[in-house]
Amino acid sequence: MKTDWYKKAIVYQIYPFSFMDSNNDGWGDIEGIISKLDYIKELGATAIWFSPLYKSPDCDYGYDISDYRDIDEKFGTMRDFDRLLEECHSRGLKVIMDMVINHTSTEHPWFKEALADRNSKYRDYYIIRPGRRVKGRLQPPTNWASTFTGSAWERIEGTDEYYLHLFCREQADLNWEHPEVRQEMADILNFWLGKGVDGFRFDVFNMFSKVWPLQDDDSRKTFQKGAKFFVDGPRMHEFLKELNEKALSLYDSFTVGESFHPSRENALEYIREDNREFDTIFNFAHLDSDNIGGLKFFRKPFDLLQFKDGLFGPQKDSYGLGWNTLVLENHDNPRCVDRFSIDSSRFRYEAATMLAAVTFMGFGTPFIYMGQEAGLTNTPFRSIDEMKDPVSHFVYDLMKSYGMPGPLAFRFIRYGARDHARVPMAWNASVNGGFNRGHEPWQCVNPAYKDINVEKDMAAERSVFRFYQKLLKIKKENAAAIYGKTEEYDHGNRKIIAYSREHEGKRLFVAANFCARSTAYRMPEWVQGAEVLLNNYDRADISGTVIRFSPYQGVVFEK
Ligand code: TEU
């Protein structure tokens, strides 16, 4: 029977490579994760989403899967995983697996067979097409661009054929038109559900369906060329319903989709409660408020109004129809305290807590990315060689190919790089931040760990972790914080964010200062006399309905 446990859930995301390395080989592992479950429980999370643990050659660090039914040996064995599942469940923590089924690794046996034998049935599992001869030269079947730069087609060696990859060339897109592919995917979901996992996060799900026949994109776009033929494709809703029918609905499973710039209409269709597609999808629009056109490397001055639009739009759209998510960080984004024009050298604690309060008190399930709860910061990478993410390298190379000198290209990519979130966790001030016992980690550590780490934060008088604990407790227990309708106030204010949540006569008012200076703000009349439920400072300077905010102060009132 389907329940709605996810509505009161607090999800904690683990990037297994970098969480905890128990055997000191440089890679995070399952044993390490188990050793930290009590910590996650203490924080107040109720579910864990694991970035991919499956077998993978790691061209895209686990997002290129070569066996959907096995655990990669650097993380442990299937027996270790079964124990992890048990250890989570015995602590009341739900387990959410990452499902990367838009593409497989090119090391997946299906793909290898498809290339090895022209008559293999697995050829139809992928999107393989003959190239085109243009003025005697062989060209890809269409002009689509990969999300990760360059053509979305890779020529199959020794032939005139190409296969489609909307991400790295080692991530071959599956052909979802083929019923057998869809059946394989349902079987994989059932395999994990049968083991007892509680749900899935679906990677770039709204690219499963492509527009057929495949055709050129005649728009002038350079980036995301072809997107109109592979985002929110015509059979998307049908495919999701089928996954539900054949797998998801057979269990009390939770689903959250990661979508690539869905249209507003489609975003709603995916999550409508009566639609039987997904329970919810991620909304990232507010995270584009410091970049141009959703391209995270193109930095621009932070735009608070855009942040508000992105944060509140989906809350309004989904309220009463489906469920929403609340996100500040994940493995694809830099640390939030180093974005949004925040002075994190002076106000790290204030900013980390304020951002959490304004985001997570909204309508939707909070997703916390490991380390966010301790206010971890970006890494001062010194050169491209310290970065492991293929995307950093692709964009760096692209900039250089446009004639940008190396050091400039490096500075260009550093701000938005996904690597910031992917360095080993800073647990304490010991070697490698306590990630392991000194073996060189797969990815360099953030040297800030000596100062900024979990242990130190938990012991501090002004601890981000302790604030998160209080915030999450409210978020789980207060009906208005869970179910309330969001109403934004003073949208045009470029310093302050303010909104209310209302449910069955109870009202919350959430307001925060996005500036490094104190700022006065007149609250609505009804807030007068309300109780302060949460505050990231010791006191709130209030007279009548005017609150004089300190830098990055955030306050939650209850009436
Ligand atoms: O990401 C999808 C995606 O397109 C972006 O978030 C992407 O990371 C960004 O545009 C690059 O700058 C998902 C995963 O979260 C990501 O880690 C994978 O690399 C990607 O899919 C491919 O599986």
Side-chain angles (χ1 to χ4, degrees):
M1 225 246 309
K2 174 97 179 145
T3 67
D4 57 2
W5 59 264
Y6 61 89
K7 294 186 178 171
K8 290 183 189 168
I10 308 287
V11 185
Y12 188 85
Q13 183 192 351
I14 289 182
Y15 191 66
F17 289 85
S18 293
F19 193 57
M20 183 69 197
D21 173 13
S22 74
N23 61 355
N24 197 36
D25 66 353
W27 307 92
D29 48 50
I30 290 179
E31 207 49 52
I33 295 171
I34 293 175
S35 72
K36 295 292 184 187
L37 291 179
D38 288 333
Y39 165 80
I40 296 168
K41 186 75 188 166
E42 188 182 347
L43 173 66
T46 63
I48 305 179
W49 148 30
F50 296 99
S51 274
L53 288 161
Y54 321 96
K55 270 211 171 1
S56 164
D58 293 335
C59 293
D60 192 21
Y61 295 94
Y63 286 87
D64 47 326
I65 299 174
S66 55
D67 186 346
Y68 288 91
R69 289 183 170 83
D70 206 355
I71 297 294
D72 198 279
E73 56 194 22
K74 65 184 168 296
F75 299 134
T77 61
M78 189 55 99
R79 281 185 57 179
D80 296 328
F81 176 81
D82 290 339
R83 202 160 72 77
L84 171 65
L85 191 60
E86 247 177 67
E87 295 279 351
C88 287
H89 284 164
S90 69
R91 288 170 176 82
L93 293 164
K94 304 262 189 199
V95 170
I96 299 165
M97 300 295 276
D98 214 314
M99 256 313 143
V100 189
I101 51 179
N102 174 69
H103 41 264
T104 73
S105 161
T106 49
E107 292 296 304
H108 195 290
W110 298 338
F111 191 77
K112 292 214 273 195
E113 261 195 60
L115 291 207
D117 174 6
R118 286 195 63 88
N119 300 317
S120 158
K121 71 164 193 165
Y122 292 112
R123 262 186 108 76
D124 285 342
Y125 274 40
Y126 295 92
I127 301 176
I128 297 175
R129 284 284 168 284
R132 299 179 288 187
R133 291 255 162 223
V134 182
K135 291 189 189 136
R137 277 188 52 204
L138 193 67
Q139 299 288 328
T142 69
N143 62 358
W144 299 359
S146 150
T147 316
F148 288 171
T149 74
S151 170
W153 296 93
E154 181 71 11
R155 189 172 171 180
I156 301 173
E157 232 183 74
T159 74
D160 284 356
E161 290 181 310
Y162 292 73
Y163 65 88
L164 183 73
H165 63 90
L166 295 177
F167 293 88
C168 292
R169 67 165 65 88
E170 296 85 359
Q171 293 165 303
D173 275 60
L174 283 161
N175 174 17
W176 275 74
E177 297 294 312
H178 190 18
E180 258 183 64
V181 167
R182 301 200 300 275
Q183 188 59 50
E184 296 269 13
M185 295 306 139
D187 292 346
I188 291 165
L189 299 185
N190 281 323
F191 171 81
W192 290 98
L193 289 166
K195 275 188 166 291
V197 312
D198 305 284
F200 302 101
R201 172 254 186 205
F202 287 91
D203 194 67
V204 289
F205 78 86
N206 65 332
M207 293 183 170
F208 295 169
S209 161
K210 277 86 176 166
V211 174
W212 293 83
L214 306 183
Q215 57 199 286
D216 271 343
D217 182 347
D218 53 15
S219 72
R220 291 232 183 108
K221 284 178 138 184
T222 13
F223 298 108
Q224 293 162 21
K225 207 184 189 81
K228 62 177 171 186
F229 299 121
F230 55 76
V231 170
D232 292 336
R235 297 184 69 188
M236 259 331 303
H237 302 291
E238 177 197 333
F239 291 165
L240 298 187
K241 289 191 170 82
E242 186 177 329
L243 285 183
N244 262 285
E245 207 179 288
K246 291 185 171 160
L248 300 165
S249 68
L250 310 179
Y251 298 81
D252 182 17
S253 65
F254 163 65
T255 48
V256 53
E258 187 225 26
S259 47
F260 188 86
H261 307 293
S263 73
R264 202 171 161 184
E265 296 70 37
N266 276 302
L268 203 55
E269 285 303 294
Y270 296 134
I271 62 159
R272 279 170 68 104
E273 230 157 77
D274 49 7
N275 250 5
R276 310 202 126 261
E277 294 186 20
F278 285 158
D279 292 317
T280 186
I281 60 172
F282 286 130
N283 290 298
F284 300 137
H286 56 301
L287 301 182
D288 286 327
S289 51
D290 62 348
N291 70 43
I292 300 166
L295 301 166
K296 57 182 74 165
F297 295 103
F298 291 87
R299 185 178 182 175
K300 73 165 187 218
F302 172 59
D303 180 344
L304 181 60
L305 301 195
Q306 188 184 341
F307 186 89
K308 296 185 196 186
D309 282 333
L311 189 65
F312 296 123
Q315 297 187 37
K316 277 185 214 126
D317 287 352
S318 59
Y319 190 79
L321 296 170
W323 201 252
N324 190 43
T325 54
L326 302 165
V327 180
L328 275 168
E329 291 184 8
N330 58 30
H331 64 294
D332 292 336
N333 276 280
R335 294 295 187 177
C336 66
V337 281
D338 285 313
R339 305 178 68 182
F340 317 131
S341 289
I342 276 164
D343 179 352
S344 68
S345 56
R346 283 159 71 207
F347 299 109
R348 188 177 60 87
Y349 162 83
E350 291 78 358
T353 50
M354 177 277 283
L355 285 169
V358 293
T359 307
F360 295 148
M361 286 306 291
F363 168 60
T365 298
F367 282 74
I368 300 163
Y369 181 70
M370 63 182 213
Q372 183 186 332
E373 74 283 4
L376 296 194
T377 52
N378 280 349
T379 301
F381 293 105
R382 288 165 304 183
S383 80
I384 183 73
D385 306 322
E386 285 186 335
M387 294 178 154
K388 294 280 184 269
D389 179 15
V391 177
S392 299
H393 288 263
F394 295 149
V395 179
Y396 175 82
D397 291 344
L398 184 70
M399 290 300 131
K400 287 216 327 195
S401 76
Y402 291 155
M404 203 185 256
L408 220 61
F410 172 64
R411 276 200 6 230
F412 174 78
I413 60 161
R414 193 168 54 175
Y415 178 72
R418 308 196 296 183
D419 306 79
H420 290 292
R422 299 178 176 194
V423 301
M425 267 291 269
W427 291 106
N428 54 47
S430 70
V431 63
N432 291 335
F435 167 67
N436 63 15
R437 296 184 299 283
H439 189 290
E440 192 184 345
W442 73 281
Q443 157 77 69
C444 71
V445 297
N446 183 346
Y449 76 77
K450 293 190 184 86
D451 253 345
I452 301 174
N453 61 62
V454 170
E455 192 180 289
K456 191 169 170 191
D457 177 76
M458 285 175 86
E461 203 174 311
R462 296 183 322 141
S463 153
V464 180
F465 184 92
R466 301 289 170 213
F467 183 88
Y468 263 73
Q469 280 182 317
K470 284 184 222 156
L471 168 65
L472 300 181
K473 190 165 180 325
I474 296 170
K475 183 68 194 185
K476 284 183 289 188
E477 293 172 359
N478 185 302
I482 303 166
Y483 302 108
K485 183 169 185 181
T486 306
E487 195 189 326
E488 195 193 351
Y489 285 74
D490 301 300
H491 179 78
N493 191 319
R494 293 185 171 273
K495 294 178 180 160
I496 303 290
I497 190 163
Y499 63 93
S500 64
R501 303 280 318 278
E502 183 169 3
H503 181 71
E504 293 177 350
K506 277 276 186 197
R507 277 217 259 187
L508 299 174
F509 189 69
V510 183
N513 178 16
F514 263 78
C515 311
R517 306 170 166 213
S518 64
T519 310
Y521 176 64
R522 183 178 293 283
M523 300 188 288
E525 285 296 328
W526 66 264
V527 183
Q528 217 177 117
E531 183 199 341
V532 173
L533 208 55
L534 188 69
N535 183 358
N536 62 350
Y537 277 74
D538 290 339
R539 57 183 299 272
D541 179 355
I542 303 167
S543 69
T545 54
V546 175
I547 177 164
R548 203 164 177 90
F549 280 117
S550 294
Y552 306 110
Q553 184 169 20
V555 183
V556 179
F557 297 89
E558 182 174 43
K559 185 107 185 191

